[in-house]
Amino acid sequence: METTPLIPQGVKRCSKLQFSLWMAVAVAVLLWGVYAMYLVWFKGLNQTNMNDAYGFALWIWADLAVIALGGGAFFTGFLTYIIGKDKLKNIINYAVIIGFICYSSALLILAIDIGQPLRGWFIFWHANEHSMLTEVAFCLSCYFGVLTIEFLPTIFENPKLDKIPFLHHLSHNMHSIMAVFAATGVFLSFFHQGSLGGVAGVLFGRPFSYREGINVWPWTFFLFTWSAAACGPCFTILITWITEKLTRKKLVKDDVIQLLAKISGWMLATYIIAKIADTLYWAMVTAPSMGFNLMDFYTNNPVYGIWILILEIVICGIVPAAILITRKGRESKFLLMLAVVLAVVGVCVNRWVMVLQTLAVPVVPFEEWFMYAPSWQEVATTILPVAYGVIVISLAHRYLPVFPQERELNPSN
Amino acid sequence: MKEEQGDKHTKRYGMVIDLDKCTGCGACMVACYAENNVPFKKNETDKLDSLNWIRIFQLTNGRSYPDTEICYLPMPCQHCDGIGKHGHPPCVSVCPAIATDYDYSTGVVSQIPTRCFGCRYCMAACPYHARKFNWWDPVWPADTEKYLNPNVSARMRGVVEKCTFCFHRYQQARDKAYLEGRDEIYESEYQPACAQACPTNAITFGDLNNPDHAVYKLKNSPRAFRLLERLHTNPKVYYLSSKSWVRRAGDNYLENESRPESNRQKIHHK
Amino acid sequence: MFPFNFEWAWDIPHLVFHGALWYVLSIVGLGLTYCIIKSAVDTFREEDKGDNH
């Protein structure tokens, strides 16, 4: 009797041995993170180097960063299903998987980060709708549900699962109304990406991150959504490129990448103009009204110099935007990859300063700068999602038809 | 978070700390630990993870001998009224689970440890670092558990706690007044442990809205200032100092910016 | 989250926030229900066709 293979037909995958060895490395790193997670859950947050000045630290940065990078899923979904950029259907599956990994990681890190994990449901049950964090929790969880729904049809397309009639139909039917789910995802993403910006922006006791805005939304609300829409797709392009290098084959056509890079570039260019305007207003109006000069935030400490602002806005903002909006820049493989790496670093630096530097800056005049270095448990639990992501991507690439153009691009298989 | 404005009984409890009188002895801290069942570490060298609800800072004018001047500044939770109308402190609206609240009848910013799930957003929001996190399970040396205050619940690992202006004492005073058929409580009936323990009477506590209470007059003293007024946190803890450098140390100013006299006007409550 | 939570109030912030939440949950829930029911119907129809042959 003929058995259905687990691996999709017409594509080539590495040997079981090679795959097992690769997975063993990833699982070893994952287990290291799981051990650290166990320590934190059972012994408490004394396992970290956080303190009363650093209530938020590496984990909250990791949360903000992965959610921004996972923004590729909602923005690519928006472009594909709502704007109608059909070309992007060739990368949307992967964008969704990357988003799924990012959002599940963010939820896991949040579960580790809270002091009483068993009370995590309080945030839903006893919701304070005035808190930005409440909005983040609701939208994050709902959007994770939406991403799972978007991911499921790809899982059901595994040759073995596709043989099951119900799953075959379910996959087809979910595809047929995917625009509804994608639109819901865009709505949720707009609010939770924004609310993450609002988390720091509303802190009127913290002159480094406080921003004015419209009604209850500080400018950071809009800047975070914008930057996630700009840099998320860059992360999707970067991970696609890494996957192509590791699997030694082309998976997505250049015109698809070029289109995504172009849109991303214009988003980044407009974002960075808005960010510069925001920074100027903050430096010249908001901060001085609280008694701070711009350089008060960047001097008298061993780490945070003005270099970090230049890195974020010029090197990781203006430069990648300039590369991505020009045809020549996009068509040069080196410049394209340089731009996406810079954009990814830029959004991570932005999230870092909005969390860590916010808390480092002394606000009470007779206090000093607060410095922090994470404990190994914090580092391990932050690397845990990376190992988890490698495992999910490896499994998805091996067993699911993630890239519709793979067979066409690798005909010799 | 329902507002009860316009109630003639609305109080705004606050504190005035006379820094000219404070010797930095730490009696207020000890009293607070004992009254509120605050656990302590074996080694309290690192104050950044201590559960001290009231801390004492040593300020200096930065000059060399013989012009050196020192000032001790006790800092409890400032029980901020916040931007605009009272009721919007930096920490309250950010709490995702309503584990901290602003009591409109007293102005006290409360903390509900059994509701708190330890996200620490309130700590990030508070510019005074008045909020403390239970990094460890509370442990007291042998037998000292028997001396814990039965009126205050001990907190568990993983939640935030802070100064409550000894709110349990307010509740007791209210109960007593009720039993005696009174609507109001006397000024002396509700005093936090730190104020009572201060050997130099540097800490005065009472209703900032009540002209009969000592704090009402003290807060309008020309020596009065509050910490970080420019952030509009609107604290209910006032400080008194006859030294201008101490008053200036209470806020951030741009280089060459003088401490505006109008700032003193702001601290007068309507 | 629910009107029976004691901190619930029928005010504008609650209605806007939780209104949006339940609206989104309803859309996702209804969409998913539609997919599952339609898939089940499709499967049974296919089986019926298969039996007839």
Side-chain angles (χ1 to χ4, degrees), chain A residues 207-208 279-300 306 309 357 361-362 369, chain B residues 230 248 252-257:
Chain A
F208 182 77
T279 306
L280 287 174
Y281 187 81
W282 162 72
M284 295 197 293
V285 180
T286 312
S289 74
M290 295 171 153
F292 287 85
N293 266 319
L294 175 68
M295 288 313 291
D296 291 337
F297 300 122
Y298 296 101
T299 45
N300 296 325
I306 194 74
L309 188 64
Q357 196 173 349
V361 173
W369 279 74
Chain B
R230 300 184 82 170
R248 190 179 167 87
N252 295 289
Y253 298 96
L254 304 178
E255 211 178 334
N256 304 323
E257 186 183 27

Side-chain angles (χ1 to χ4, degrees), chain B residues 2 14 27 34 39 41-42 51 55 71 75 89 118 129-130 157 167 191 211 213 216-217 221 228 233 250 256 265:
Chain B
K2 291 202 184 71
K41 300 175 288 176
K42 274 187 181 169
L51 285 159
R55 295 156 295 153
C71 170
M75 199 198 290
H129 296 132
R157 185 181 85 192
F167 196 71
Q191 290 292 317
H213 285 207
Y216 185 86
K217 290 181 197 72
S221 158
L228 304 176
T233 50
N256 304 323
Q265 299 306 315

Side-chain angles (χ1 to χ4, degrees), chain A residues 30-235:
Chain A
L30 183 91
L31 290 176
W32 179 54
V34 169
Y35 174 61
M37 187 172 77
Y38 158 80
L39 286 177
V40 173
W41 269 339
F42 283 86
K43 293 192 172 184
L45 294 180
N46 52 58
Q47 299 292 301
T48 71
N49 277 355
M50 288 191 278
N51 55 43
D52 293 336
Y54 270 102
F56 285 176
L58 185 73
W59 285 331
I60 295 292
W61 165 75
D63 262 328
L64 265 64
V66 293
I67 289 168
L69 298 175
F74 94 86
F75 195 60
T76 315
F78 171 72
L79 294 170
T80 311
Y81 297 112
I82 296 165
I83 303 289
K85 297 277 179 195
D86 281 345
K87 215 183 260 186
L88 296 179
K89 283 193 172 162
N90 297 307
I91 200 166
I92 184 68
N93 287 347
Y94 207 34
V96 164
I97 294 171
I98 293 167
F100 176 86
I101 293 165
C102 288
Y103 278 77
S104 47
S105 301
L107 288 170
L108 177 70
I109 295 174
L110 278 177
I112 301 171
D113 187 64
I114 55 178
Q116 284 279 337
L118 295 177
R119 293 182 189 170
W121 56 281
F122 281 16
I123 199 167
F124 303 111
W125 197 258
H126 301 297
N128 171 18
E129 70 286 343
H130 298 282
S131 172
M132 287 287 173
L133 213 54
T134 306
E135 195 172 71
V136 170
F138 273 102
C139 286
L140 203 74
S141 312
C142 292
Y143 185 53
F144 177 62
V146 170
L147 275 172
T148 309
I149 290 170
E150 290 185 54
F151 187 15
L152 280 175
T154 315
I155 297 175
F156 296 153
E157 281 167 20
N158 170 272
K160 278 249 192 227
L161 295 177
D162 195 49
K163 284 278 173 196
I164 302 167
F166 177 73
L167 294 184
H168 174 81
H169 288 297
L170 188 56
S171 169
H172 173 78
N173 289 324
M174 286 173 88
H175 267 306
S176 67
I177 60 159
M178 199 50 86
V180 175
F181 295 124
T184 314
V186 170
F187 173 80
L188 290 168
S189 293
F190 177 80
F191 279 99
H192 75 245
Q193 296 281 0
S195 299
L196 280 172
V199 164
V202 297
L203 302 180
F204 63 90
R206 298 286 184 176
F208 182 77
S209 62
Y210 175 68
R211 297 291 189 279
E212 284 93 346
I214 303 170
N215 200 0
V216 294
W217 298 290
W219 297 127
T220 48
F221 182 97
F222 306 98
L223 290 171
F224 266 50
T225 306
W226 210 333
S227 57
C231 302
C234 287
F235 187 64

